[in-house]
Amino acid sequence: MERKSMEMGGKRVLVCNCESSMPLDEKALTRACQAAGATGDADLNSQLCRAQLGNFQRAILGEQPVVVACTQEAPLFGEVAAEDNPQAEISFVNIRENGGWSDEAGAAMPKIAALLAAAAVEAEPTPQVALSSQGVCLIYGNDGRAIEAAKQLAGRLEVTVLLRQPGDILPPGDMDVPIFKGSIVQAKGHLGGFGITVNDYAPASPSGRAQLAFEPPRDNAFSECDLILDLTGGTPLFPAHEKRDGYLRPDPGDPVAVQRALFELADMVGEYDKPRYVSYNGDICAHSRSRKTGCTRCLDICPTSAITSAGDTVEIDPLVCAGCGACASVCPTGAATYQLPAGDSLFMRLRSLLEAYGKAGGQAPLLLLHDDKHGAEVIALSARLGRGLPARALPFPLNEVTQVGIDFLAAAFAYGAEQVVILADPKKRDELSGLAGQIGLVETVLNGLGYGAGRVHVIDAADPDQVEGQLYDLATPALGMTGGNFLPLGGKRSRAFLALRHLHDKAPQPVDHLPLPPAAPFGAVKVDTEGCTLCLACVGACPTGAMLDDESRPWLGFKEDACVQCGLCRNTCPEQVITLEPRLNFTTEAMGAIALNEAEPFECIRCGTPFGVRQSIERIADQLAGKHHMFQDSDQIERIKMCENCRVTVQFESPDNPFQGGARPTPRTTDDYLREREIEEARQKVLAERANGKTDNDGGEV
C-alpha cells in the first residue's frame, strides 16, 4: 500500500531529524501527529537541506502550502523556492531547539506534534504603514567626535552637526559638513519626520582660528531631519529611546558602538514598510465623555508616548508606536487591538498547540511565552549548551510578551495549560507593569475558582542556565486543567468571557460572584436610589452600553457583562450616587439587563401625557413655589407640572404672554391698490374741473 505524505491543517509537513542529531522515531512521530489530527505518515528526512533537498523541491511544486520543520536553513529553502516556484506558500517551525535537542527529547513526541499543528495555522497578515527617509541626518554631540562621525557619513547622508557644549575644538580645515551649536530642548517625531527645537542656536563662524567660533545665538530655532545620531551621552531625547526608529544613541566613549551606529545610519535611506502594530476603534474607547475622564490605561502604559488624548478618544501614532502591545494588553474594551499577527490568528494557534498536545498524549502542559529575540536566543543556547527545554514546556513565540492580556492568559488555561511561564528580557523589566496587572487578575480568578495560585511565572534572567534551572524546578500543579476546544470568536471581551466561563464551568470551587481587585475591567455598578433623580446622564456617558434606559418610562438599567469599570458613569453623575464594584458575575443575570432604579412617570395636569419622574417634578415644584421670583403665583407653578407641549400652549394663551404683540395689520391686495387708484383719479378729475371754472347742474359755479 502506498504511503501518503503527512498533512496537517491542509498543509504538507516535512520533518528532518537534522542528520540524526534528534532522536526522532518515525512511527512514534506518526502516531503522535495522527492523534493530533494529521493525516498520512511522517516522512522523516535526515538531511533535507542537502542530500534530500529534492523532497522539498517536489513538495513545493504541489498545490498545497508546505510546513518545514526547520528554521536554521529557511534562507536556503527560500532561495530554492524563489527559483522553482515563487508562488509556493512556505512556513517554518523550529522543532530542534524547541524539542529535539533536549535531555527529555525521547518524551517530546507530543510536543513536536503540537508545534507542527500550531505551525499549520494560517496567520493573517499585519497591515503596514509607510516610512520614508531622504537621509537628512543630525549628529548631536559635545566635541570633535561628532565632527569625525559626520565626516564618515558625509558621503552617504546629508549631515549636519549640532554641538551642545563646544569646548576648545580646533576648526576643521574643510567645512564639508555644516556645524552649529545649541541645546535641543524639545524633540518629537519618528524616522523620516523628526522635529527639534534648539536654544542657544548659532552657526559656526568661518573666522575661527584656534577654536571654533560661533555667530550670535538665538532661542527657539526649529529644524527637521530624517535621522538623529545622539553622541552627547546625556539624557535621551525620547522616552524609551531604544524603541524610536531612526534615533541612535550609542555610548560616545565606545568606538565600536559608535561605528556600529554609523553603519546602521548609512543604510537608512529610502522607503520602508513598518507594521501597524495596533488597530484602534474609537467607538468603544472608554477614555472620556463630555470632558469627564474615564479610562487612561493606554496613555499611562505607553513607553514611547505614541498615544495622546484626543477628546473623547485617543490617537495612536503608528509611526512612533514601537509595537510593545502594552496598550492592547490593558485596554478593557478591546478598542486597541494588537495586529502582529492580525485577527484571531494568535488564539487559533494557541488553541491548536494545546489541543494537539493533549490529543497526542502530552501531560501537564507548561506554556512558555517568549519573544523572537531574547527568548528565542535563550532557548537556543539552552538547547545547544545545556539540557534543553523540558518535554512538557511548549514554546510559544510572540512579537513582544507585553502584548499578553487577560483574554490570552485566560484562554491559555481554558485550553488546558496548567502553567504559564513568561520569559521576559531583563533589559525590559521597566515595561512589565501592565503585564503584571494582567497576571495578577488571572491569578485572582484561578485562585478564587479553586485552581490555586502560582500558575503564572515570569522569568527575566539573562543566563540560559538559570532559565533552564527554573523551568526544570517548577513543580507540576496537583490539580490539572480541563481543556476546552471553543473557538475564540469576537473581540477581546467576548474571548475573555468564553475562556472565563469555561474555567468557571470546570472549576473545583465554582462561585457565582468573584470579587476582583480595584481597576479590574469587570464588575457591577451600584446606585443609591434615594439620591438618584433618574436624570440618565450616566446612560449618555457609558461608552459600552452597560448603562441602559427606557424611552417609555423612568427606568435605569444595567448589563453587567458590558461594564468595563471605566468610571465614566460615576464621574458624570451630578448627584454622586454611583459606586463601582469590581467582580466577575458568572450567573446568567450578568448577560441580561437588570433595573438599578425606576419610578412612576408624572402625568401632565392638562393633557395627561406621562413625562419626567413624579418625585422629581413634585420636588422641583415644592422647592420653587414662592421662593423664586419667576414662580410667585400658582399659574407659574402649574406650568412646571405640564408636558413641554402644553407648557408652550398655555404660555401663548396667557394674557400676560411676553411674546404677544399688537393686532396684525390687514393684508393689502391688488384690488385695494386698484380701488385707491380709481379714487385718486376721480379726485384729480374733480380738482381739474374746479380749476377750469365749470358749474354744477343748477348753473351755479362749482
Side-chain angles (χ1 to χ4, degrees):
M1 181 176 179
E2 183 179 355
R3 288 165 52 92
K4 182 181 178 182
S5 299
M6 181 182 291
E7 297 179 9
M8 298 188 83
K11 297 183 178 182
R12 173 77 182 277
V13 178
L14 298 176
V15 181
C16 180
N17 63 18
C18 198
E19 296 183 336
S20 301
S21 61
M22 291 183 283
L24 301 183
D25 179 83
E26 191 172 273
K27 292 183 179 180
L29 180 61
T30 296
R31 288 194 299 270
C33 290
Q34 289 179 348
T39 60
D41 300 316
D43 293 327
L44 191 60
N45 296 274
S46 181
Q47 206 178 49
L48 185 63
C49 60
R50 298 293 186 271
Q52 295 169 303
L53 186 59
N55 292 341
F56 169 77
Q57 292 174 300
R58 284 187 290 273
I60 63 173
L61 292 177
E63 297 181 356
Q64 292 176 300
V66 177
V67 175
V68 180
C70 175
T71 55
Q72 176 178 283
E73 300 298 329
L76 171 65
F77 292 124
E79 291 178 6
V80 173
E83 294 181 1
D84 293 0
N85 184 10
Q87 305 303 319
E89 299 180 28
I90 310 170
S91 55
F92 302 92
V93 58
N94 185 348
I95 67 170
R96 189 178 67 179
E97 281 84 354
N98 287 339
W101 281 358
S102 167
D103 287 358
E104 296 185 356
M109 290 304 112
K111 176 203 284 194
I112 293 175
L115 293 173
L116 293 172
V121 175
E122 194 69 32
E124 293 186 34
T126 299
Q128 303 290 310
V129 60
L131 287 169
S132 177
S133 170
Q134 303 300 319
V136 179
C137 178
L138 173 71
I139 298 183
Y140 186 39
N142 297 322
D143 49 34
R145 289 175 294 187
I147 298 175
E148 290 300 322
K151 288 181 176 294
Q152 291 189 51
L153 287 176
R156 301 288 300 274
L157 305 176
E158 183 180 336
V159 185
T160 299
V161 176
L162 180 65
L163 300 175
R164 184 178 60 173
Q165 297 174 344
D168 297 335
I169 302 176
L170 186 67
D174 297 321
M175 280 288 189
D176 49 353
V177 293
I179 301 175
F180 299 82
K181 79 165 185 173
S183 297
I184 298 178
V185 294
Q186 184 181 28
K188 60 182 181 180
H190 48 79
L191 171 66
F194 288 110
I196 59 169
T197 302
V198 183
N199 282 349
D200 195 32
Y201 171 80
S205 172
S207 61
R209 183 178 180 183
Q211 65 181 35
L212 276 174
F214 296 89
E215 297 179 7
R218 62 185 178 91
D219 289 342
N220 295 319
F222 180 78
S223 183
E224 296 178 330
C225 58
D226 298 318
L227 309 164
I228 299 177
L229 175 62
D230 187 349
L231 296 177
T232 61
T235 303
L237 299 179
F238 301 97
H241 62 89
E242 67 281 354
K243 296 179 178 294
R244 186 75 55 145
D245 294 331
Y247 175 70
L248 281 71
R249 185 177 170 272
D251 180 0
D254 184 351
V256 175
V258 173
Q259 288 299 319
R260 187 182 301 115
L262 294 177
F263 286 132
E264 188 174 347
L265 282 168
D267 291 332
M268 289 187 177
V269 180
E271 302 287 335
Y272 301 90
D273 284 331
K274 175 183 177 180
R276 185 182 291 271
Y277 294 106
V278 178
S279 67
Y280 175 68
N281 180 5
D283 293 339
I284 58 174
C285 179
H287 171 53
S288 175
R289 290 294 184 276
S290 303
R291 299 184 180 180
K292 298 291 185 180
T293 302
C295 176
T296 60
R297 291 175 175 89
C298 62
L299 291 165
D300 298 336
I301 204 71
C302 180
T304 62
S305 299
I307 307 177
T308 55
S309 177
D312 288 350
T313 59
V314 300
E315 289 183 352
I316 302 178
D317 189 340
L319 302 178
V320 174
C321 174
C324 69
C327 58
S329 170
V330 301
C331 180
T333 65
T337 305
Y338 204 67
Q339 296 194 106
L340 192 60
D344 60 1
S345 305
L346 198 70
F347 289 84
M348 292 300 294
R349 185 156 57 91
L350 175 68
R351 176 176 178 265
S352 295
L353 178 79
L354 291 168
E355 185 179 22
Y357 180 77
K359 289 181 177 180
Q363 300 293 320
L366 183 157
L367 186 67
L368 178 60
L369 306 179
H370 66 88
D371 61 26
D372 288 328
K373 298 177 182 177
H374 168 76
E377 182 179 353
V378 168
I379 292 172
L381 289 173
S382 174
R384 292 174 180 275
L385 306 175
R387 300 169 61 188
L389 294 179
R392 72 185 189 97
L394 305 177
F396 194 86
L398 301 166
N399 186 58
E400 295 283 356
V401 296
T402 45
Q403 72 187 72
V404 171
I406 178 61
D407 53 337
F408 184 90
L409 291 173
F413 290 108
Y415 286 137
E418 295 194 1
Q419 291 168 296
V420 174
V421 173
I422 301 173
L423 184 54
D425 189 341
K427 298 178 182 177
K428 301 180 180 180
R429 289 191 181 106
D430 57 344
E431 300 176 15
L432 300 179
S433 59
L435 176 60
Q438 303 300 299
I439 293 174
L441 184 57
V442 77
E443 286 277 19
T444 299
V445 173
L446 293 175
N447 195 37
L449 294 177
Y451 291 106
R455 289 182 179 264
V456 184
H457 307 269
V458 176
I459 300 178
D460 58 2
D463 185 354
D465 291 336
Q466 188 175 351
V467 173
E468 178 185 288
Q470 292 186 49
L471 289 175
Y472 276 94
D473 290 343
L474 281 177
T476 303
L479 185 64
M481 307 293 290
T482 302
N485 63 350
F486 57 90
L487 292 174
L489 302 176
K492 180 174 184 175
R493 298 282 293 183
S494 298
R495 292 192 298 260
F497 275 119
L498 284 170
L500 292 170
R501 288 182 178 124
H502 173 84
L503 292 172
H504 174 265
D505 292 343
K506 305 298 180 181
Q509 300 172 10
V511 294
D512 288 342
H513 300 93
L514 179 62
L516 295 178
F522 309 101
V525 165
K526 292 186 176 181
V527 174
D528 180 4
T529 56
E530 292 296 325
C532 176
T533 62
L534 284 169
C535 69
L536 303 180
C538 54
V539 177
C542 181
T544 63
M547 305 296 290
L548 308 170
D549 65 349
D550 189 334
E551 294 182 357
S552 64
R553 57 184 174 132
W555 182 84
L556 175 62
F558 177 67
K559 190 170 182 292
E560 187 165 345
D561 66 354
C563 180
V564 297
Q565 300 282 286
C566 65
L568 278 170
C569 58
R570 177 190 59 198
N571 299 342
T572 302
C573 178
E575 285 82 26
Q576 298 296 299
V577 295
I578 295 179
T579 56
L580 306 180
E581 181 187 1
R583 70 177 189 179
L584 268 173
N585 185 351
F586 292 105
T587 68
T588 56
E589 180 187 74
M591 294 181 282
I594 62 170
L596 295 179
N597 194 13
E598 56 186 329
E600 294 182 15
F602 189 89
E603 295 182 353
C604 174
I605 61 174
R606 190 170 188 268
C607 69
T609 301
F611 77 100
V613 181
R614 176 172 293 278
Q615 58 262 41
S616 297
I617 300 297
E618 292 175 347
R619 182 187 307 170
I620 293 171
D622 291 341
Q623 290 179 349
L624 293 178
K627 299 178 183 178
H628 193 280
H629 70 278
M630 293 182 64
F631 298 92
Q632 295 298 314
D633 58 58
S634 59
D635 290 341
Q636 292 168 326
I637 294 297
E638 292 297 299
R639 291 188 191 120
I640 296 177
K641 301 178 181 180
M642 298 179 188
C643 67
E644 58 183 7
N645 293 328
C646 290
R647 197 176 301 134
V648 173
T649 301
V650 169
Q651 180 68 52
F652 277 95
E653 291 176 350
S654 173
D656 58 349
N657 178 11
F659 303 105
Q660 184 174 0
R664 291 176 61 86
T666 303
R668 294 175 62 82
T669 66
T670 301
D671 291 340
D672 294 327
Y673 288 107
L674 292 175
R675 185 164 50 252
E676 289 177 357
R677 183 187 299 174
E678 291 174 356
I679 293 172
E680 180 63 22
E681 289 175 350
R683 177 176 171 276
Q684 293 297 328
K685 182 178 180 181
V686 170
L687 292 175
E689 290 175 350
R690 285 181 178 179
N692 293 330
K694 292 184 178 182
T695 60
D696 58 13
N697 294 332
D698 295 333
E701 192 175 18
V702 178

